[in-house]
Amino acid sequence: MKFMLTSLQNARLYGIVDLGYCTSDNVPNMTRALCEGGVDLLQLRAKKLTASEVEELALKMLPITREAGVPLIINDHPHVAAAVGSEGVHVGQDDDAIARARSIVSRDCFVGKSTHSVAQAIAAQEEGADYIGFGPLYATGTKPDYVPIGLQDIEEAHRNVSIPIFCIGGVNSERLGEVLAAGARRVVVVSAFLQAADIGHSVRTLKQRLISSC
Ligand code: TZP
Ligand code: MG
């Protein structure tokens, strides 16, 4: 096994296996394609599944992500992260507090938090998050109930927060240039990857642009 935990500082591209875009049967293939393409972190997000269904999927993903050396982050379910031994857990503004999520997992793991403003980004860092998601930058069907925050606060977030900031929400290859020009260093891409005709190619080309940007 060539598992090596990528440090979050080096992570630039975060992929999500979102069950809104693939069936449970497809999860191993999606996981493989995203890892082979070069995501640095991978999240399992399954809003409509039960905790035990999420656990079952996480157990299918882990051998693939470990072989690729990609940390697996479980969205919403610290108990699942604890049970399967994933490398991290991700919580939202209305979920468990960071300290609570950490204590449920009860071992060293990444805890990330979704933020939707500079104030929330600063608060998440103070609360002890290892990284944050910052967005949605654009309106997105993946998180349809959220008002997009635009690109204008990305620089201010980076001036005020030293933990890694992953800009998220509607990011795709057409928009990557303006997102980077607005100050982003790291991005999360969900639907643009999962709906691509060739996921591996789509991840590889976006990653290459990300890396060569700075
Ligand atoms: N949090 C903020 S936006 C978002 C999440 C989970 C969805 C991003 O998905 P997409 O398809 O890349 O817009
Ligand atoms: Mg959540």
Side-chain angles (χ1 to χ4, degrees):
M1 187 171 71
K2 49 181 167 127
F3 179 66
M4 213 180 63
L5 203 63
T6 318
S7 108
L8 278 182
Q9 283 303 329
N10 295 332
R12 307 287 301 279
L13 181 57
Y14 190 154
I16 299 185
V17 173
D18 187 314
L19 273 285
Y21 294 102
C22 72
T23 63
S24 295
D25 286 349
N26 241 336
V27 164
N29 281 340
M30 293 288 193
T31 303
R32 227 169 271 118
L34 290 162
C35 288
E36 282 168 12
V39 297
D40 300 308
L41 290 171
L42 190 62
Q43 181 184 122
L44 171 57
R45 182 173 189 264
K47 288 288 177 186
K48 295 188 175 153
L49 268 54
T50 63
S52 63
E53 288 168 334
V54 173
E55 181 170 335
E56 202 178 309
L57 289 178
L59 288 172
K60 290 188 177 146
M61 293 172 77
L62 270 170
I64 303 166
T65 55
R66 292 237 161 105
E67 173 68 19
V70 174
L72 179 65
I73 315 288
I74 307 296
N75 189 47
D76 287 340
H77 293 286
H79 286 102
V80 171
V84 303
S86 71
E87 288 74 30
V89 63
H90 186 93
V91 294
Q93 291 292 318
D94 300 328
D95 297 328
D96 287 326
I98 303 274
R100 168 101 184 118
R102 244 185 241 296
S103 84
I104 291 170
V105 180
S106 73
R107 61 181 159 72
D108 210 14
C109 81
F110 298 137
V111 182
K113 185 153 181 159
S114 297
T115 67
H116 316 297
S117 65
V118 173
Q120 287 180 358
I122 295 169
Q125 171 166 279
E126 284 170 357
E127 200 193 334
D130 294 306
Y131 74 86
I132 54 169
F134 186 70
L137 303 181
Y138 304 89
T140 171
T142 311
K143 203 155 175 167
D145 300 338
Y146 282 69
V147 178
I149 65 170
L151 306 180
Q152 71 284 344
D153 292 338
I154 293 176
E155 270 181 2
E156 193 187 341
H158 284 80
R159 276 198 301 275
N160 286 280
V161 169
S162 57
I163 56 175
I165 300 174
F166 290 87
C167 290
I168 183 168
V171 180
N172 58 28
S173 64
E174 289 74 36
R175 290 165 169 165
L176 184 68
E178 65 190 35
V179 170
L180 294 173
R185 272 188 51 76
R186 301 174 171 86
V187 295
V188 184
V189 179
V190 189
S191 50
F193 284 161
L194 299 183
Q195 296 182 315
D198 181 342
I199 295 178
H201 174 75
S202 175
V203 177
R204 249 185 312 279
T205 50
L206 193 139
K207 173 94 178 268
Q208 198 48 54
R209 287 173 61 202
L210 202 48
I211 289 171
S212 37
S213 70
C214 54

